[in-house]
Amino acid sequence: MITEIIFAIGFVIFAPFIGALIGGIDRKVTARMQGRVGPPVLQPLYDVFKLFEKEKAVVRNEVNFYIFSYLVFVIFTGALFFSGGDILLVIFALTLAHAFLILGAYAAVSPYSHVGAERELLQLMAVEPMLILTATGFYMATGSFAVKDIALWPEPIVMTIPLIFVGIVYVLTIKLRKSPFDLATSHHAHQELVKGVTTEFAGPTLGMVEIAHLYETVFFLGIIWLFFASMPWVGVLAVIIVYFLEILVDNTTTRVRWQVMLRSAWLVALVAGAINLGVLALL
């Protein structure tokens, strides 16, 4: 129990710094791919600090409540995951977190914000089936929904559910808000003049959203690592390779229409997830 608490506290304290470091390296590599020098590696942290120094300005007061709830549930999601909790509860908490983000965007009375909220909802619908199939795959491979049991499984789970791993890598592009699936909002300024779901957020409110993104990055890379948990350093290498591929895809593709994102995500979930689970059920 003490170990679980230590891991949960460790995630809460260190995840924003690890996420910021990953984001900084992401920006640096992206800049090099585009022939630029790029910002300092710690620029994501500087951006968050600057946002909290700005004056608090929100269109409606309830926006702050929704965004604060979004941040709290994202932190809870990651803490539950890294403390070895039930992966179904982890997925539920993550979904609830994004429901609060969508409510925050809807609460800001703005057509651009509403469009961003609708796109965020579509992204949520695109990803959820694959997340549920991933949890089911972990259960069928190990006999447990507990992350600590999955992490202690003696064999690399990716060998048992390789198609589900491919599927989760595919939807990771959506969750990391990378092109071609950065419909709700983008980290790139060239994609659009307004920032989609975060259009009406500023100052500390936007700062909370950015911190939540840092936590989410570490959480999703933790899921990738879980497929290789029996070989921790191979897992770290897999995380590095997968994230580099995400950067590469981000810089070599253009944004698709929401119909393409939704259909392709569901198709991948159906083909990769269902086939892999079907084979496991027959064995």
Side-chain angles (χ1 to χ4, degrees):
M1 186 64 182
I2 294 176
T3 305
E4 286 86 347
I5 293 174
I6 291 174
F7 272 101
I9 294 174
F11 172 79
V12 174
I13 295 174
F14 296 111
F17 299 100
I18 298 171
L21 186 61
I22 294 170
I25 295 171
D26 183 340
R27 291 188 188 183
K28 204 76 178 175
V29 174
T30 296
R32 293 301 170 91
M33 287 181 176
Q34 298 171 354
R36 299 183 286 112
V37 175
V41 171
L42 294 179
Q43 189 62 45
L45 272 185
Y46 301 151
D47 292 343
V48 170
F49 289 146
K50 278 191 289 187
L51 286 170
F52 278 93
E53 289 174 357
K54 292 181 180 294
E55 183 182 355
K56 185 184 292 184
V58 289
V59 179
R60 297 170 67 180
N61 287 330
E62 55 263 42
V63 171
N64 266 337
F65 168 75
Y66 290 134
I67 298 306
F68 179 71
S69 300
Y70 165 55
L71 174 60
V72 168
F73 275 97
V74 166
I75 294 173
F76 176 71
T77 298
L80 191 62
F81 177 82
F82 283 96
S83 64
D86 190 309
I87 197 163
L88 289 177
L89 186 55
V90 168
I91 294 172
F92 172 76
L94 181 68
T95 304
L96 188 57
H98 282 268
F100 277 113
L101 176 62
I102 293 167
L103 286 172
Y106 272 125
V109 184
S110 160
Y112 296 115
S113 185
H114 282 198
V115 170
E118 289 168 0
R119 291 179 177 180
E120 183 71 19
L121 188 58
L122 287 167
Q123 291 193 177
L124 195 61
M125 292 167 58
V127 169
E128 283 299 301
M130 196 63 240
L131 290 179
I132 297 296
L133 287 172
T134 302
T136 308
F138 280 139
Y139 176 79
M140 294 183 71
T142 65
S144 174
F145 282 117
V147 174
K148 62 180 179 184
D149 294 337
I150 299 168
L152 292 174
W153 192 249
E155 299 171 357
I157 299 173
V158 69
M159 301 296 287
T160 309
I161 48 175
L163 293 180
I164 288 181
F165 177 71
V166 172
I168 202 70
V169 169
Y170 187 83
V171 299
L172 187 65
T173 310
I174 301 174
K175 296 307 295 181
L176 292 179
R177 306 179 187 285
K178 299 288 189 186
S179 181
F181 301 138
D182 51 345
L183 274 70
T185 187
S186 172
H187 296 292
H188 294 303
H190 66 267
Q191 287 283 25
E192 54 192 355
L193 292 178
V194 292
K195 287 287 288 177
V197 72
T198 59
T199 299
E200 297 297 331
F201 304 155
T205 307
L206 184 57
M208 287 191 286
V209 174
E210 293 298 327
I211 292 173
H213 288 171
L214 301 180
Y215 275 110
E216 277 192 283
T217 300
V218 176
F219 163 68
F220 282 111
L221 294 181
I223 291 182
I224 297 297
W225 180 85
L226 194 58
F227 281 85
F228 303 86
S230 63
M231 301 183 294
W233 288 110
V234 175
V236 172
L237 181 62
V239 165
I240 293 172
I241 293 172
V242 167
Y243 199 83
F244 178 77
L245 288 176
E246 293 290 343
I247 297 173
L248 189 62
V249 170
D250 189 33
N251 285 281
T252 54
T253 58
T254 56
R255 180 183 290 176
V256 298
R257 295 173 64 86
W258 68 266
Q259 293 94 334
V260 175
M261 176 199 68
L262 197 61
R263 288 171 188 163
S264 64
W266 284 357
L267 183 64
V268 168
L270 179 66
V271 174
I275 290 178
N276 206 151
L277 294 184
V279 171
L280 274 182
L282 292 174
L283 292 177

